[in-house]
């Protein structure tokens, strides 16, 4: 007599397939994919007092002779702590360079930006271009540009670092290379580049790379925006996006930067979008409602609004404006036709 054939089952099929590096779509269950974007990134507020205390302590125990950078990174509690990122696509950190120090020259595939918070007179050199720092300046170091930071002033320099490191890591494209010397030779200043920018654009001439947005220009443009009828955005107040002056596009291909002003007692309306946004409070105090929770912030604090989380902003002061600096991954989503907004 023939022996009865063994009865197959889903569990047996799954096990046999797993041994062959296969998996069945049915393991997702009846629900399949979610009806809206989801993320492990959690809303989070980081207090400036905590960040600054850590930076000052690091200044005492971390030497730039033994460490590539003196940086404190913000870590999202919803993500894998071994990665230590603020979101799944963007990283925000804070860097501290003492008088007389130099953070050695290197380059890497993650694109980076510097938003200056404290100090004056130090500089970042990007591909031979010297960018002298002042509070509120935005300095770009796009992917694979050589850059180093030097503080020849008499006071510490402190700035915000923004990078697309998590995104580049997810694509398995992270690499870094040191420059042959500790510092790059300076070939020109960013002021020289900015002086030539207008004429170059008018005559259609390709200008050398543009890396430096001065706060004096940003602040002037922001206040001009306030005077424009109908300029207030109902979700973001007076929002001014940084633009690449050569392409007219976003600040960098993977990161869009902006500043926004919330007048005294201002409250915005609620909306949500598929991009993730990291905010830093440059001036003032206020609050942001994310979902059911309110996050009260003041100058120096940072917070993240994860993708597809409803949110709105409030200025808690009765007399002073609040100014937020922000960066988002919107350019990536728009390039992939995945960006959308709901209100």
């Amino acid at each position: 007599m023939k022996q009865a054939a063994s009865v197959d089952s889903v569990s047996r099929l799954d096990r046999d397939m797993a041994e062959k590096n296969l998996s069945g779509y049915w393991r997702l269950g009846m629900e399949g994919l979610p009806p809206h974007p989801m993320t492990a990134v959690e809303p989070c507020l980081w207090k400036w007092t905590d960040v600054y205390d850590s930076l000052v302590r690091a200044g005492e125990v971390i030497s730039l002779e033994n460490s590539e950078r003196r940086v404190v990174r913000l870590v999202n509690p919803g993500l894998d702590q071994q990665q230590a990122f603020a979101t799944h696509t963007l990283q925000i950190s804070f860097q501290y360079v003492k008088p007389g120090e130099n953070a050695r020259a290197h380059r890497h595939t993650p694109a980076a930006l510097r938003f200056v918070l404290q100090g004056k007179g130090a500089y970042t050199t990007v591909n031979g271009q010297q960018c002298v720092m002042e509070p509120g300046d935005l300095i770009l170091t796009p992917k694979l540009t050589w850059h180093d930071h030097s503080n020849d002033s008499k006071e510490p320099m402190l700035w915000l670092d923004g990078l697309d490191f998590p995104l580049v890591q997810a694509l398995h494209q992270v690499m870094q290379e040191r420059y042959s010397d500790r510092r790059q030779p300076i070939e020109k200043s960013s002021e020289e580049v900015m002086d030539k920018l207008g004429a170059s654009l008018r005559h259609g001439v390709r200008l050398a790379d543009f890396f430096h947005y001065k706060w004096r220009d940003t602040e002037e443009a922001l206040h001009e925006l306030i005077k424009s009828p109908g300029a207030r955005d109902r979700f973001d107040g007076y929002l001014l996006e940084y633009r690449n002056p050569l392409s007219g596009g976003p600040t960098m291909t993977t990161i869009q930067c902006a500043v926004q002003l919330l007048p005294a007692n201002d409250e915005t309306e609620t909306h949500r979008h598929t991009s993730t946004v990291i905010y830093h409070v440059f001036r003032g105090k206020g609050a942001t409602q994310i979902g059911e929770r309110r996050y009260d912030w003041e100058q120096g604090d940072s917070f993240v609004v994860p993708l597809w989380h409803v949110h709105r902003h409030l200025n808690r002061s009765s007399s002073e404006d609040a100014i937020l600096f922000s960066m988002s991954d919107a350019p990536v989503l728009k390039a992939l036709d995945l960006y959308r907004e709901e209100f």
Side-chain angles (χ1 to χ4, degrees), residues 3 5 36 52 72 93 98 102 104 111 114 148-149 154 181 202 216 224 254 308 310 318 327 340 343:
Q3 187 175 5
H36 54 77
Y52 186 74
V72 170
S93 309
K98 297 190 294 184
N102 165 263
R104 70 178 72 248
R114 328 289 168 186
D148 59 278
H149 314 295
K154 296 181 179 180
D181 295 318
R202 284 195 300 272
R216 63 173 185 250
E224 286 298 318
T254 54
W308 213 239
V310 294
S318 59
M327 56 184 186
R340 62 190 173 105
F343 45 86

Side-chain angles (χ1 to χ4, degrees), residues 36-60:
H36 54 77
M38 299 182 68
T39 180
V41 176
E42 296 179 6
C44 188
L45 173 72
W46 294 271
K47 299 299 293 181
W48 177 244
T49 53
D50 298 330
V51 174
Y52 186 74
D53 177 65
S54 298
L55 283 169
V56 172
R57 290 178 62 188
E60 297 300 319

Side-chain angles (χ1 to χ4, degrees), residues 17-77:
M17 289 176 63
E19 293 174 353
K20 301 167 185 174
N21 299 316
L22 303 171
S23 177
Y25 184 82
W26 52 84
R27 291 182 62 83
L28 294 175
M30 292 295 292
E31 295 81 10
L33 300 176
H36 54 77
M38 299 182 68
T39 180
V41 176
E42 296 179 6
C44 188
L45 173 72
W46 294 271
K47 299 299 293 181
W48 177 244
T49 53
D50 298 330
V51 174
Y52 186 74
D53 177 65
S54 298
L55 283 169
V56 172
R57 290 178 62 188
E60 297 300 319
V61 298
I62 303 297
S63 168
L64 290 185
E65 296 302 318
N66 302 317
S67 178
E68 196 79 7
R69 296 290 188 264
R70 185 187 295 113
V71 166
V72 170
R73 299 191 293 179
L74 306 191
V75 181
N76 193 284

Side-chain angles (χ1 to χ4, degrees), residues 115-117 134-137 214-220 222-223 226 259-264 279-287 297-303 314-317 320-326:
F115 186 73
V116 184
L117 303 177
E134 294 181 316
D137 286 6
K214 297 293 293 183
W215 175 248
R216 63 173 185 250
D217 300 325
T218 304
E219 187 174 35
E220 180 181 354
L222 187 59
H223 286 291
I226 295 171
V259 288
Q260 63 192 91
L261 185 147
L262 303 172
Y279 293 90
H280 178 79
V281 185
F282 187 53
R283 293 180 184 169
K285 60 182 179 179
W297 40 258
E298 57 190 357
Q299 184 172 333
D301 293 350
S302 303
F303 61 96
L314 308 88
N315 183 338
R316 294 188 284 119
S317 173
E320 296 182 356
D321 297 336
I323 297 179
L324 303 175
F325 170 80
S326 65

Side-chain angles (χ1 to χ4, degrees), residues 79-146:
L79 297 179
D80 183 348
Q81 299 302 290
Q82 291 183 344
Q83 294 183 320
F85 295 137
T87 82
H88 60 302
T89 53
L90 298 176
Q91 177 57 35
I92 175 175
S93 309
F94 294 87
Q95 188 162 173
Y96 185 76
V97 180
K98 297 190 294 184
E101 289 188 324
N102 165 263
R104 70 178 72 248
H106 65 199
R107 66 177 182 174
H108 39 66
T109 44
L113 60 90
R114 328 289 168 186
F115 186 73
V116 184
L117 303 177
Q118 292 184 15
K120 184 177 181 180
Y123 58 90
T124 289
T125 305
V126 191
N127 278 0
Q129 183 182 143
Q130 183 188 47
C131 304
V132 179
M133 297 175 159
E134 294 181 316
D137 286 6
L138 175 65
I139 299 170
L140 309 182
T141 54
K143 63 179 176 63
L144 293 178
T145 53
W146 294 109

Side-chain angles (χ1 to χ4, degrees), residues 115-302:
F115 186 73
V116 184
L117 303 177
Q118 292 184 15
K120 184 177 181 180
Y123 58 90
T124 289
T125 305
V126 191
N127 278 0
Q129 183 182 143
Q130 183 188 47
C131 304
V132 179
M133 297 175 159
E134 294 181 316
D137 286 6
L138 175 65
I139 299 170
L140 309 182
T141 54
K143 63 179 176 63
L144 293 178
T145 53
W146 294 109
H147 57 280
D148 59 278
H149 314 295
S150 300
N151 187 359
D152 298 335
S153 74
K154 296 181 179 180
E155 57 183 322
M157 287 296 300
L158 198 159
W159 60 83
L160 175 158
D161 283 328
L163 300 95
D164 60 4
F165 197 106
L167 176 63
V168 177
Q169 179 169 284
L171 295 172
H172 296 191
Q173 297 296 320
V174 174
M175 60 79 62
Q176 179 172 295
E177 180 183 1
R178 278 191 176 184
Y179 193 70
S180 55
D181 295 318
R182 187 173 184 94
R183 302 189 191 205
Q184 302 173 68
I186 295 173
E187 300 171 356
K188 56 183 174 290
S189 72
S190 61
E191 295 284 356
E192 293 176 285
V193 173
M194 286 184 281
D195 287 344
K196 297 176 181 177
L197 180 60
S200 297
L201 293 178
R202 284 195 300 272
H203 295 94
V205 178
R206 174 76 178 177
L207 187 71
D209 289 336
F210 179 86
F211 302 124
H212 197 173
Y213 300 81
K214 297 293 293 183
W215 175 248
R216 63 173 185 250
D217 300 325
T218 304
E219 187 174 35
E220 180 181 354
L222 187 59
H223 286 291
E224 286 298 318
L225 179 66
I226 295 171
K227 298 176 186 177
S228 303
R232 180 185 178 276
D233 184 274
R234 61 190 176 119
F235 304 117
D236 291 303
Y238 293 97
L239 180 72
L240 181 68
E241 290 189 345
Y242 293 87
R243 289 287 173 180
N244 183 312
L246 304 179
S247 69
T251 319
M252 291 189 283
T253 55
T254 54
I255 307 174
Q256 176 62 64
C257 297
V259 288
Q260 63 192 91
L261 185 147
L262 303 172
N265 293 316
D266 192 25
E267 294 188 16
T268 68
E269 297 180 34
T270 298
H271 73 151
R272 63 181 177 180
H273 37 67
T274 50
S275 60
T276 297
V277 186
I278 299 176
Y279 293 90
H280 178 79
V281 185
F282 187 53
R283 293 180 184 169
K285 60 182 179 179
T288 297
Q289 185 83 25
I290 308 175
E292 300 298 320
R293 185 172 175 181
R294 171 172 156 159
Y295 295 84
D296 291 292
W297 40 258
E298 57 190 357
Q299 184 172 333
D301 293 350
S302 303

